[in-house]
Amino acid sequence: MILLFIGALTSCGPSSSQKQARAEIEGSQAERVAIPSKDGKLAGAPGSYAAQPNLVGRITEALIASKLDDLTPHTSLDRDKKFSYNLKSVDCLGTIERGTESFLLATALFIRSSAENSEYPPPRGHGFLLCLSPQFELVSYCALDFPQVSLSGTELLRGDKPIADFAASGTATRQRGFLIDRATFLPYPFADRLPDPSAP
């Protein structure tokens, strides 16, 4: 039996600046705005009408177009050993909206294989949360451990546990992004975003 370990591709833990931003977001009663529901939205509840029925295909095309190693299937050679990085699944979560702006949220799961003709190292999974424009262009993304999540209203849920709230609009959120799973940030996509003071 093959065990898949889902993990982030980046740092082992949050930096001091990320911890401070996380505390600001969690500790403040940030201003929140309602995200209205619109007819003909890109994606809604499973089984509801979708203006674009080929959502998974368009999201996959956006991943390929990004040309980012983290988000594109490819093969690689490491010390004369061949590996593949396979797109295992794409899941459309729904839309987030603010004023006249809307963005599509989705997840993607990639599997980095064992070496060719070998069981070692064991396969490893890499999950991501994606934010795409209405034109299906990748706007931002972040690593997401265990990407089996759903979108309920403005909340991102893992099971019945909220791990993010896309209604947040306080200063820290507009600078750093939405806090996801108390571990990482999805860059804020809306036009009222603010410069990140920790950015180089």
Side-chain angles (χ1 to χ4, degrees):
M1 180 176 68
I2 297 176
L3 297 178
L4 302 180
F5 298 91
I6 313 301
L9 293 175
T10 53
S11 62
C12 295
S15 66
S16 58
S17 61
Q18 287 178 320
K19 291 178 181 177
Q20 180 181 353
R22 181 168 66 191
E24 291 173 359
I25 293 171
E26 291 180 337
S28 66
Q29 295 298 320
E31 176 187 358
R32 297 177 183 274
V33 297
I35 299 181
S37 176
K38 296 180 180 179
D39 293 335
K41 61 170 58 178
L42 283 171
S48 64
Y49 172 80
Q52 170 51 260
N54 186 29
L55 287 170
V56 170
R58 296 297 302 274
I59 294 166
T60 302
E61 290 173 2
L63 292 173
I64 303 300
S66 76
K67 297 182 180 180
L68 297 170
D69 281 350
D70 290 352
L71 300 180
T72 52
H74 59 272
T75 57
S76 59
L77 188 64
D78 184 9
R79 299 178 184 177
D80 297 326
K81 295 182 179 179
K82 293 181 180 180
F83 296 85
S84 62
Y85 187 67
N86 315 308
L87 178 58
K88 183 177 186 295
S89 64
V90 169
D91 188 15
C92 177
L93 302 178
T95 54
I96 54 173
E97 300 175 349
R98 187 160 299 171
T100 60
E101 296 181 278
S102 64
F103 295 92
L104 179 69
L105 294 181
T107 58
L109 176 61
F110 288 83
I111 304 297
R112 191 178 302 279
S113 74
S114 301
E116 185 180 28
N117 300 321
S118 173
E119 295 181 359
Y120 301 96
R124 181 180 174 86
H126 300 272
F128 299 94
L129 178 63
L130 315 172
C131 180
L132 301 101
S133 73
Q135 293 76 38
F136 292 93
E137 296 173 343
L138 183 68
V139 174
S140 63
Y141 75 101
C142 66
L144 181 65
D145 291 349
F146 305 103
Q148 291 74 28
V149 295
S150 61
L151 187 64
S152 177
T154 65
E155 290 187 324
L156 187 65
L157 305 178
R158 179 177 290 124
D160 58 0
K161 178 185 176 183
I163 62 170
D165 188 352
F166 297 105
S169 61
T171 299
T173 297
R174 290 161 62 198
Q175 290 176 333
R176 302 291 177 85
F178 296 108
L179 180 62
I180 308 296
D181 205 16
R182 296 174 55 86
T184 190
F185 294 91
L186 178 69
Y188 187 81
F190 296 103
D192 62 338
R193 62 185 172 272
L194 298 172
D196 183 350
S198 67

